[in-house]
Amino acid sequence: MDDVIIIGGSFAGLAAALQLGRARRRVTVLDTGLPRNRFAGHSHGLLGHDHKPPLDILAEARKQLARYPAVRLVNARADSISGAIDDFSVLTGDGESLGARRLILSYGVADQMPDVPGFAESWGTSIVPCPYCDGFEVADQHWGLVWSGPPSHNYVRLYHDWTDTLTVFADGHDIAPDIRADLARRNIPVIDGRIAEIAQHRGHITTVNLESGRNAGVDILFAHPRNKPSASLHESLGLATVDTPFGIALKVDERRETSMPGIYAAGDLANPAMNSVTTAISQGATAGISAQQSMLV
């Protein structure tokens, strides 16, 4: 039996595995190789790895984990979980049954692309969610923001550190008069009407085309589509969740423990608005350390 099984081997999961491996705890990491940010050409803001392709960073992390004999990386999907603290059982897609005293869920979320031609093709290149991840590279260019609700007003203020040229696309949302007045005061135009198409060439936006027939050009588009967990294991376990403006997240405490004793969660699965590799790594390390300390006798 393992001490810990980690389900999801991207940044959060591997960070947890590193802490546990260094504590000489037996760990199995199950991963299918489809991290959320696989569409991005580069990852930014991660100390020591700034502007590196995210898949390269993950590959290097896996190589570094090889020096810890207690850590095992397995390319497999987790199909089901049963049991309780000190005696969990995980059935993989390959039919293998694995046991562990603790579990860490870090299988992330999947972004739900709107049914707009060109949107999915541009996602991660010229349609992005996070200014901390991509803002520096497109600073002082013409940004667009697809309005998605009240949080969008905060983004308007946030983006000012990177650009003074911003266009808001209402995309069918009813923007309150007081917010429209604030946008006008900031010299931020609002284009009403639903987006019909993202005209793009090799993932780079040429124009945002509206159902009204109007077209608008921007250099980069920020959008925040809702997302959902990449697997439903938490549902079968009955873990408590919270509904956020971005999607469902697992409810965790400051130690990253879920509502079921012995099960921890880290990364986007426990914070779908995060969009930050640095935060994912921090949360993963916390989950790994918390799981290790919970087994002390």
Side-chain angles (χ1 to χ4, degrees):
M1 174 179 283
D2 285 320
D3 289 309
V4 182
I5 292 175
I6 300 171
I7 302 175
S10 187
F11 291 95
L14 295 183
L18 177 60
Q19 299 302 321
L20 289 160
R22 291 188 58 78
R24 303 195 299 175
R25 292 288 185 170
R26 289 178 54 84
V27 182
T28 294
V29 181
L30 301 177
D31 185 58
T32 57
L34 296 172
R36 182 186 183 188
N37 66 350
R38 64 189 181 276
F39 304 104
H42 297 87
S43 183
H44 299 114
L46 178 58
L47 187 65
H49 296 284
D50 189 46
H51 202 65
K52 286 185 180 179
L55 295 181
D56 289 356
I57 300 173
L58 290 172
E60 183 177 343
R62 294 187 189 98
K63 289 180 181 178
Q64 292 175 357
L65 283 171
R67 68 185 287 250
Y68 299 99
V71 177
R72 182 170 70 117
L73 305 179
V74 179
N75 182 18
R77 182 183 68 252
D79 276 354
S80 66
I81 298 172
S82 58
I85 189 169
D86 287 323
D87 189 23
F88 290 108
S89 179
V90 177
L91 182 65
T92 74
D94 299 329
E96 184 179 6
S97 182
L98 306 174
R101 297 179 61 192
R102 303 289 187 272
L103 299 177
I104 296 176
L105 307 182
S106 53
Y107 48 79
V109 299
D111 295 295
Q112 304 301 289
M113 298 293 106
D115 188 20
V116 174
F119 192 101
E121 293 83 353
S122 303
W123 183 248
T125 53
S126 56
I127 301 180
V128 295
C130 173
Y132 296 102
C133 305
D134 299 287
F136 182 85
E137 282 68 30
V138 291
D140 298 322
Q141 296 184 29
H142 186 174
W143 291 19
L145 170 63
V146 180
W147 200 266
S148 56
S152 296
H153 194 201
N154 292 327
Y155 297 137
V156 168
R157 296 193 290 267
L158 179 66
Y159 295 166
H160 182 69
D161 275 355
W162 286 275
T163 186
D164 292 323
T165 309
L166 175 66
T167 296
V168 165
F169 295 91
D171 197 30
H173 287 271
D174 185 15
I175 302 176
D178 61 323
I179 295 178
R180 284 183 178 266
D182 181 67
L183 296 176
R185 180 181 64 82
R186 298 172 185 272
N187 295 316
I188 297 173
V190 177
I191 298 180
D192 289 304
R194 287 198 172 275
I195 297 173
E197 177 189 20
I198 304 296
Q200 53 86 33
H201 178 67
R202 295 182 178 178
H204 294 284
I205 293 175
T206 54
T207 56
V208 178
N209 300 339
L210 285 84
E211 290 180 349
S212 64
R214 181 178 179 181
N215 301 333
V218 294
D219 296 309
I220 192 163
L221 192 62
F222 282 78
H224 303 88
R226 283 182 64 85
N227 47 58
K228 66 178 182 178
S230 295
S232 58
L233 297 171
H234 59 284
E235 295 178 0
S236 62
L237 293 167
L239 300 183
T241 61
V242 292
D243 192 5
T244 79
F246 304 93
I248 298 297
L250 295 193
K251 186 177 182 180
V252 296
D253 62 18
E254 68 278 0
R255 299 172 60 250
R256 313 307 302 173
E257 191 168 25
T258 68
S259 59
M260 179 175 285
I263 300 182
Y264 301 80
D268 295 344
L269 182 62
N271 185 1
M274 182 170 51
N275 302 316
S276 168
V277 169
T278 300
T279 308
I281 291 172
S282 173
Q283 290 186 0
T286 299
I289 292 170
S290 297
Q292 179 252 340
Q293 291 182 351
S294 74
M295 294 182 285
L296 299 178
V297 295

